[in-house]
Structure formats: C-alpha cells, structure tokens
Amino acid sequence: MSTPDFDQLRKQLIQGGAKLEKVCIRNRKVYTTAAVAKDEVIMSMPHQLLLTSDKGRETGMGKTVMEKKVNIPDKFEDQIYLALLYLWDLEIQDSKYARYYKLLPNRTDIFPIMWTNEQKEWLKGSSITASIEGLNETLEEEYKLLSHNVPEFRRISKAQYTHARLIVSSRTFQLKMDGRIVRVMSPFLDMMDHKERRICNWDFDTKTNSLVVKALENISENEEIFCHYGKKSAKKFLLFYGFSPEECLTGQFDHLNDIEFVMFLHEDFPLTKKKAALLNKEYECHKYSITISNENPNTLETLSFMRLLKAEEEDLSILPKMDEAFNLRDSPIHPLSIENELSVLEMLSDLMKQQLNGYNKYKSEEKSEPGSKRPAKRLRSSTPESVELSPRDVDIWKSARNLIEGEMQVCEYYIGLSEVVIPILEALDSNPVDLSGLAESHAKYIAYVIYHLHRQEKLPIQKCESTKSKNLSTSSRKRSRKD
C-alpha cells in the first residue's frame, strides 16, 4: 500500500508538472499502477523540480564559495554543491523540497565509512578498505575547506556534512544538460532501485526540459520499476550507494567483480630503465583492476603492464610506440611471445593466490570452478549462521559477502585459467591444440594468444578454426622455455 506521505509528495510534484500518473511508491519502492508499453514515458520530472548543483551555487553558502573562489575538487564539485543545497534548504521551513527531504532515508550506517570496526573486518583482504580510508580523508578535507572559507557553514557539524554528502552521492542522476555533464537529484524518481538487467532508461529530454524515464520493454501493472545506476564495480556500489548487488554472485556481469592492486617497474624485472623510458608518468606507480573478462579495458590494461614487466629484449622491439598521450587501456599490449605469456600467467596466478589467502576465513566447497580442479571458496567469517546479527547488521553482512565472494570468483578464475592454459602453451609447438572440453573463456583466451603470436609471425599456424569447433593446430617447432 502506498503511504500518505509519498502520496502527498506525488500530488505536489504532479501539480508542479511531473508525469507520475502510472506510478506510485510502496515500501519505498516505485511500482506501476497501470501497464506501460515499450518506449512509453513511465515518469518525468521537469527541470524546475530537480535539485541541481547550480541551485546549490545560488544558496548563501554556495555564493560564498563562488565569491571566494574556494578550490572545490572537480571530481566531487556537483555533489558538494548539492550537499550545500540540501543543508541550506533543511533550515528553510517553506522550502518546496521540504516534503521530499522528510522522506529521504535517514540511515547512513549502510555506507562502509560508517561501519563499525567489527563490520569492516568482513571486508578484510579487499582493496575497498583503502578506498574507505580515502573517502574518509576526502570528506574530512572538504569539511575543513568549507569550514575555513564559509562562515555560514561553520554551524554545520562534521556528522551533518557527512550525512548530507552520503545521501546526495547515493541519489544523483548524471545527465547531459546545457552541453555539460551534471549531477541532479530528483524527488520520487530517485526511489527506483538498481538492477543490472535494465527495464527502463533515463535521460534529459531537451524538448520537454525534463528528466525522463522510458520503458525498454512492456511493463505490467503492479510491477516494480528498476533502473540501472551505471556500469560500476561492486566496490563503487558499496562505497557510494551502501550496497553491493546480489548479481555479484551470479558471475553474469563481469564488471561487478574485480581485483585491484598497485604495480610499478622495479629492479627485480629485466630492462627496468629501458622500459621506464617507454612509459608516461601515469604508469610509474599505478593502481590496476582486473575482471574475469579478458575484453574489459581494465583487464587489458593490467595484462598489458604485466607483459611489459616480463618482457625481454626481443619483446621490446614489437611494442607499440608510446608517448605522453599513450595509455594501455585504449592501446593494449597483446601477447608478445609464448615465454612472456607463460611468465605473465604465473605472475597473475601467484598474485591471485596471495589475494585469496588475504581474505577473512573462507571454506572450500565441493563445487569447482569451470576448467579447474581447485574447489570454489565461499565466505565463512561471522555469517548470520555462526553469529547472531540484528536485521540491520544482516543487510551490511550481505553487502560484504557479495563483494568478497565476487572477488574470490575473480581469484579462482585466474588460478584456474593458469592451471589449464600454461600446460597447453608449454606444449604449443609439439602438439595440436585441442580446445574441446575446455571452458569457453579458457578456449577464447588460448585462441586470442595464438592469434596475436601468429600476427607477429612468431607462431606459424597450419590450421586455425573457430573456437566453436574447439580445435586449433600449430606447426611443430621446438621452443625452449626461459626460467
């Protein structure tokens, strides 16, 4: 049943020009009240009812920031001005957003920066712990900057500012308006929950000057309306939205689960000085991210840098030309040689084993990952089955579990990939490559390596059938394996 408070908000917004006739809010979720056809506008919110960073600049605090030319960080500029708008408006009794503010969630303990130390232990081993510290430092710096420069802001406590920033950051829509990318808050529309499978899309319609939500398929009456918050990793969902999607556990969405680590050139690797001269400064010390998708730009960047780290003198001659504008995401380094690729896979497997051992307690299960004899791992630490948790803690634990088990899937994938692919690459010159029986991702990876070595004329190929046929043959040519 729809609550009276949300009904009143809906009525107020419709009077202001919003299109909400086919939707209502029940249990803080958006539902249809009538069937909606594909491509039909489900709901819309006119510009004058949106909360924008420009409106934040027009507040007393916003004007002071502008007049004093306070050096607001570009990355979070819109969120800061929206937080100022929210804090300023809360003190105005007749604000047109008063009813909306009243209905915003008060709970911020779902965000990891607000978790207790015991709850943060559930994230042990994940790089999100460093991101939590980084966000804490960012909010602290913002608060000090505003307190120092904006007298009106000094009545705001650190806790109030943190609350405002978290609420704002978790509810904004990113739109292209007036030729620039901006973030806005929209009453009612921001009650839509996230799902990876989209049933609607949202955009700013310049003809109606409104934020518009359109159906991507036919939607039945009394169906919940989910939107897509953007292609983000589970870490970003948890850090900025206070949850990690259940889809992390399905393995169907490669971008959700990733492993992050820092790599840099150092003397343990061959030809360090020569390689350093090839790279721009961005890669002197860089944070990398890898997913189970070999086509993901972050994965390509990570594998590219590993290939460079392990490259020998003969490999350097076939590297692409690098300059200050060069980056490994857009221009990746593909397999250089069999020896190089074997070294990369061994390095990657070792990194994933270290990562896996760094998580809090986990247990082995009977089920194995495809293409690997290694059993899958599942999080066991402080679960509701072993520790009595409050309903609020259960939500937090589920978010931690989704994140950690998703990361474990990535670790297990690359350990399994190395177990399968290394013996095949080692025997590549003496045996035909039979891909039958392999997991599709493993077969595609092997075909990818063979293709690029063939292009460099490092691996003459007699026969190269599609991966669907599961068979690739190579000429017989002795190759010595370097240590």
Side-chain angles (χ1 to χ4, degrees):
M1 181 177 291
S2 183
T3 64
D5 286 339
F6 279 111
D7 287 342
Q8 291 173 12
L9 175 63
R10 177 174 173 272
K11 183 178 179 180
Q12 175 189 336
L13 295 170
I14 290 174
Q15 289 173 347
K19 178 180 173 59
L20 302 170
E21 289 78 10
K22 286 194 173 185
V23 290
C24 69
I25 292 179
R26 298 198 297 265
N27 300 318
R28 303 190 69 84
K29 300 176 186 296
V30 181
Y31 286 86
T32 56
T33 56
V36 179
K38 181 180 178 182
D39 297 325
E40 183 180 350
V41 173
I42 306 171
M43 46 188 171
S44 68
M45 194 65 55
H47 183 278
Q48 67 266 21
L49 295 180
L50 299 175
L51 288 80
T52 67
S53 55
D54 285 341
K55 291 178 182 176
R57 292 178 178 89
E58 293 167 3
T59 63
M61 290 188 289
K63 287 177 180 177
T64 302
V65 172
M66 299 286 287
E67 289 166 3
K68 291 192 173 183
K69 298 182 179 179
V70 180
N71 189 23
I72 297 291
D74 292 340
K75 184 177 180 182
F76 297 115
E77 182 178 4
D78 279 348
Q79 290 95 319
I80 292 171
Y81 279 113
L82 281 167
L84 292 179
L85 172 61
Y86 172 67
L87 291 166
W88 184 269
D89 252 11
L90 281 178
E91 299 179 351
I92 302 175
Q93 290 185 353
D94 60 348
S95 168
K96 68 178 180 181
Y97 300 114
R99 186 171 278 117
Y100 168 60
Y101 294 146
K102 180 183 175 182
L103 294 171
L104 285 174
N106 289 318
R107 186 180 178 188
T108 55
D109 63 337
I110 58 173
F111 296 93
I113 68 166
M114 308 298 287
W115 289 10
T116 65
N117 290 335
E118 182 181 0
Q119 290 166 342
K120 288 177 183 175
E121 275 294 302
W122 296 335
L123 298 172
K124 184 178 178 182
S126 172
S127 63
I128 195 176
T129 55
S131 299
I132 293 168
E133 300 222 353
L135 182 57
N136 259 321
E137 291 171 4
T138 295
L139 296 180
E140 181 71 33
E141 290 168 4
E142 289 176 11
Y143 183 74
K144 288 180 179 178
L145 182 67
L146 293 169
S147 297
H148 179 73
N149 290 283
V150 184
E152 310 98 300
F153 183 81
R154 292 169 193 158
R155 64 179 181 270
I156 306 296
S157 69
K158 171 71 186 320
Q160 287 173 313
Y161 180 70
T162 299
H163 177 92
R165 274 284 275 112
L166 292 175
I167 292 297
V168 163
S169 296
S170 65
R171 310 193 75 77
T172 57
F173 292 83
Q174 185 169 291
L175 304 170
K176 187 173 183 179
M177 294 169 53
D178 302 323
R180 60 193 178 102
I181 302 298
V182 298
R183 290 181 180 271
V184 305
M185 294 173 69
S186 174
F188 203 97
L189 274 62
D190 65 6
M191 298 303 296
M192 290 186 291
D193 282 340
H194 167 85
K195 261 198 177 178
E196 286 296 318
R197 180 184 169 276
R198 302 169 187 255
I199 65 169
C200 67
N201 206 356
W202 46 265
D203 201 355
F204 190 76
D205 184 358
T206 55
K207 292 181 180 178
T208 61
N209 204 31
S210 301
L211 169 57
V212 172
V213 179
K214 282 188 177 182
L216 295 176
E217 59 186 51
N218 294 331
I219 301 174
S220 303
E221 182 181 352
N222 294 321
E223 186 172 341
E224 184 177 355
I225 301 296
F226 292 97
C227 71
H228 194 275
Y229 291 2
K231 203 170 184 180
K232 299 174 175 66
S233 69
K235 293 184 186 70
K236 288 189 176 180
F237 273 113
L238 185 52
L239 195 63
F240 296 110
Y241 294 86
F243 74 96
S244 54
E246 289 286 340
E247 291 101 329
C248 292
L249 306 180
T250 67
Q252 295 177 336
F253 302 96
D254 299 334
H255 62 277
L256 285 176
N257 303 323
D258 69 338
I259 301 294
E260 293 179 330
F261 44 85
V262 174
M263 291 189 292
F264 56 92
L265 283 168
H266 55 82
E267 295 180 356
D268 290 348
F269 293 98
L271 308 169
T272 302
K273 291 183 179 179
K274 185 175 283 191
K275 292 172 184 176
L278 294 173
L279 291 171
N280 61 40
K281 291 183 180 180
E282 177 188 355
Y283 291 105
E284 288 180 358
C285 185
H286 188 67
K287 184 169 76 172
Y288 294 86
S289 166
I290 192 165
T291 74
I292 63 173
S293 169
N294 303 130
E295 298 172 357
N296 181 286
N298 292 333
T299 302
L300 289 171
E301 180 182 48
T302 301
L303 294 176
S304 294
F305 190 75
M306 287 183 169
R307 290 177 183 124
L308 179 65
L309 285 178
K310 292 292 187 177
E312 299 289 347
E313 186 75 51
E314 59 269 30
D315 299 319
L316 296 182
S317 62
I318 58 175
L319 289 176
K321 184 179 179 180
M322 304 179 188
D323 54 29
E324 284 299 315
F326 180 88
N327 74 80
L328 296 171
R329 287 168 58 88
D330 297 332
S331 303
I333 297 173
H334 296 294
L336 300 170
S337 65
I338 288 180
E339 290 83 5
N340 180 269
E341 201 66 16
L342 288 169
S343 296
V344 166
L345 287 171
E346 289 171 349
M347 177 183 178
L348 186 56
S349 179
D350 288 342
L351 280 171
M352 294 298 106
K353 288 174 183 176
Q354 292 173 25
Q355 179 72 24
L356 201 57
N357 289 330
Y359 292 119
N360 225 331
K361 299 173 186 176
Y362 56 83
K363 63 180 179 180
S364 298
E365 291 184 347
E366 294 299 322
K367 183 181 176 182
S368 295
E369 298 298 323
S372 173
K373 298 176 182 178
R374 187 176 302 277
K377 302 292 190 289
R378 291 295 178 264
L379 187 66
R380 184 176 63 185
S381 172
S382 301
T383 67
E385 289 77 20
S386 59
V387 176
E388 187 174 345
L389 298 177
S390 69
R392 295 169 77 91
D393 278 348
V394 169
D395 289 340
I396 292 172
W397 176 83
K398 284 181 178 179
S399 287
R401 177 206 63 187
N402 293 347
L403 178 73
I404 297 299
E405 288 196 8
E407 290 189 12
M408 287 179 173
Q409 288 179 11
V410 179
C411 294
E412 288 293 334
Y413 171 77
Y414 281 104
I415 294 170
L417 178 74
S418 300
E419 289 175 343
V420 171
V421 173
I422 285 177
I424 293 174
L425 292 186
E426 285 178 329
L428 197 56
D429 281 341
S430 56
N431 296 310
V433 180
D434 182 9
L435 304 182
S436 60
L438 295 183
E440 183 180 357
S441 59
H442 295 171
K444 286 177 68 175
Y445 182 85
I446 294 168
Y448 160 73
V449 172
I450 291 175
Y451 170 77
H452 283 284
L453 296 183
H454 174 55
R455 286 191 66 189
Q456 298 161 23
E457 298 183 351
K458 287 199 169 188
L459 188 66
I461 297 182
Q462 295 174 333
K463 182 180 180 183
C464 183
E465 298 179 7
S466 69
T467 55
K468 289 182 180 179
S469 68
K470 301 286 187 178
N471 184 282
L472 290 168
S473 299
T474 66
S475 65
S476 177
R477 180 162 57 90
K478 283 287 182 184
R479 182 181 300 275
S480 61
R481 172 81 190 282
K482 293 186 179 179
D483 295 331

